[in-house]
Amino acid sequence: MKHSIRKLMLVSFTGLIFVMLISIFCINSWFLEQYYIANKQPALREVYDVLEEAVEEDVLTAEGTRNTLRGMMERGNIRFCVFERRNMDMALASASQDVEILSRQLLGYLLERNTNTDILEEAQEYKISKGVDMQTGSEYIEMWGDLPNSYIFIIRSPLESIRESVVISNKFLAYIGVGIILVAILFVWYFSKKITDPILELAGISQRMANLDFDTKYTRGEQNEIGILGDSFNRMSEELERTISELKSANNELKRDIAQKEKMEEMRTEFLGNVSHELKTPLALIQGYAEGLKEGISDDAQSREFYCDVIMDEAGKMNQMVKNLMTLNQLEFGDKDVQFERFNLTELVQGVIQSCDILIQQKEVQIQYLAGEKVYAWADEFKVEQVVRNYLSNALNHVDGERIIEVKIVEEEGLARVSVFNTGTPIPEGDVEHIWEKFYKVDKARTREYGGNGIGLSIVRAIMESFHQEYGVHNYDNGVEFYFTLDVK
């Protein structure tokens, strides 16, 4: 990403370290010498105090004084000479091999010949300056002035050593700085990755939530602000899934109520007419065979048994039709609450196929089940199972030819399409638009043969319309395909 947090952190922290190193380099180059001079002045004053006390006590050349001064000279890289004002050819005390040079430098100060001098501190007894040796051209910090008993002195410490230290220090900083920057880049990259990876994961979860996929959860579980944010995402996902389920249920209920009021009276009238028509034939058969048994039309036991079988068969068909009518009546008039839930559609279809295994073997049918990965859908799981079972039963009752039934689930454009295809004779075009009507039968003789009453597809229609989803049938040269769709989001 162009404005990645990881890149911004990497550039920002690396730049900050680089700026800090450059700042240290500049401070080291510009201010270290001044800091050195400021800290060297107390050392010069300390030597002066020792010299002053030694002169006053007349122990300037004593062994103890020499030892004390020698230690101070070595620690501070300091040289000094003490002269009598009337005779500067011979030093009374010194800690330098360049007595002559110090003598000329002191004389230059006394006669004010040293013009290239920068006075740093001035007191009644002494002055401290930063100057250049007239003979060697080297720079020093020097202190000169008067001591008791008409003595004069000069104390100096070279500045070349500190400048060499600055150069060496800057080189060292350059080498170390490169290493620090490289190590910093690695550390910043690692810690930025630790920060941005959870953020990217949360971004991915939010995108999936935007597409109404609530299965993914944040599982890193860090005990920090990002972990708290991840827990909030998980709770929000659960609440959104529950709320969407409630909204779908409420929306579906509103649509159904509007449509149901318009159709209710018409459906009741149609229902009574169809029931009367469907019950007329089995009741007539039952009545006829029962009267024949009562009047003793046949004394043959086998004939009486046949009469009883017909009566029981017709009564069973009527019982099944009544159950289907009750189911259909509940769908169309009574069951107003369609509970939408998210369920595994592939497992449901596979379960229906397995439950019909005995019937499939009896009819010698080859089942082809085509489905990819798990497909989750939104609907009433129990009613979807009724639809799949009706389609599969219908296919088993009408399969012919190669005796193949193909059950397929395809996910496309936010919908799951479930289809059941069976080889056999296509439905006549004139009957296609009527097969969803209650009690409609394409082949009445064959329908009666397996006990059908023309209600199964009406139940399918009622269920799918309660879901406000598509359903239908397609004819092919070698068979018929029934299908329906469900939301996956």
Side-chain angles (χ1 to χ4, degrees), residues 206-477:
S206 66
Q207 290 177 355
R208 298 185 68 172
M209 288 172 59
N211 294 324
L212 303 184
D213 180 0
F214 304 108
D215 288 336
T216 304
K217 302 295 182 183
Y218 184 78
T219 56
R220 288 179 179 264
E222 299 99 331
Q223 299 299 319
N224 54 28
E225 291 81 355
I226 296 179
I228 295 172
L229 181 60
D231 292 338
S232 300
F233 264 71
N234 291 341
R235 290 196 299 272
M236 181 172 62
S237 175
E238 294 170 0
E239 288 298 318
L240 281 175
E241 183 174 10
R242 182 182 61 80
T243 303
I244 290 175
S245 178
E246 293 175 355
L247 286 174
K248 283 182 174 289
S249 298
N251 185 55
N252 186 74
E253 181 180 354
L254 179 61
K255 291 180 179 179
R256 193 202 57 239
D257 287 345
I258 295 173
Q260 189 174 14
K261 288 181 180 179
E262 299 176 353
K263 295 182 179 179
M264 189 172 293
E265 190 61 35
E266 179 183 351
M267 292 175 65
R268 283 175 178 160
T269 303
E270 181 184 0
F271 177 77
L272 290 174
N274 287 329
V275 168
S276 299
H277 176 76
E278 287 296 322
L279 291 177
K280 181 169 62 177
T281 300
L283 284 173
L285 288 172
I286 291 172
Q287 184 179 4
Y289 279 97
E291 289 175 353
L293 287 172
K294 183 178 181 180
E295 294 174 1
I297 293 178
S298 174
D299 295 332
D300 183 12
Q302 187 175 358
S303 298
R304 287 197 302 273
E305 185 177 352
F306 172 74
Y307 281 21
C308 290
D309 288 341
V310 172
I311 292 172
M312 292 175 63
D313 183 57
E314 293 299 326
K317 292 177 181 178
M318 289 175 61
N319 183 48
Q320 183 61 42
M321 182 180 69
V322 170
K323 289 181 179 179
N324 287 339
L325 286 173
M326 291 178 64
T327 299
L328 184 60
N329 186 62
Q330 186 180 22
L331 287 170
E332 294 180 337
F333 300 104
D335 189 7
K336 296 183 179 181
D337 296 325
V338 179
Q339 297 298 325
F340 278 83
E341 57 184 339
R342 195 165 180 264
F343 64 94
N344 192 327
L345 181 60
T346 52
E347 288 185 0
L348 183 146
V349 174
Q350 191 172 7
V352 173
I353 295 173
Q354 290 174 350
S355 68
C356 298
D357 187 60
I358 295 176
L359 187 59
I360 292 170
Q361 294 179 15
Q362 290 176 349
K363 291 183 175 288
E364 299 180 349
V365 173
Q366 179 184 354
I367 293 288
Q368 298 178 354
Y369 178 46
L370 305 176
E373 298 180 355
K374 292 182 179 180
V375 177
Y376 289 87
W378 289 91
D380 187 315
E381 185 175 0
F382 175 73
K383 291 178 180 178
V384 173
E385 182 179 350
Q386 283 184 287
V387 173
V388 176
R389 194 173 295 279
N390 275 325
Y391 274 177
L392 186 58
S393 299
N394 187 70
L396 287 169
N397 291 325
H398 292 87
V399 67
D400 206 348
E402 298 178 357
R403 306 191 70 77
I404 295 174
I405 295 178
E406 180 184 86
V407 182
K408 184 164 56 176
I409 302 176
V410 178
E411 187 176 355
E412 52 185 16
E413 297 181 359
L415 295 174
R417 186 180 187 275
V418 182
S419 62
V420 180
F421 169 82
N422 65 273
T423 58
T425 305
I427 300 172
E429 291 299 326
D431 294 320
V432 169
E433 59 180 332
H434 299 292
I435 60 175
W436 307 102
E437 298 173 4
K438 290 187 288 289
F439 306 107
Y440 188 84
K441 303 169 185 176
V442 177
D443 186 346
K444 294 181 174 59
R446 184 167 184 176
T447 302
R448 186 159 188 82
E449 179 182 341
Y450 63 80
N453 47 43
I455 300 177
L457 293 179
S458 299
I459 293 174
V460 171
R461 179 184 67 176
I463 290 174
M464 296 313 301
E465 288 182 352
S466 72
F467 293 162
H468 300 283
Q469 293 291 342
E470 293 184 7
Y471 63 96
V473 60
H474 290 307
N475 272 328
Y476 294 94
D477 293 339

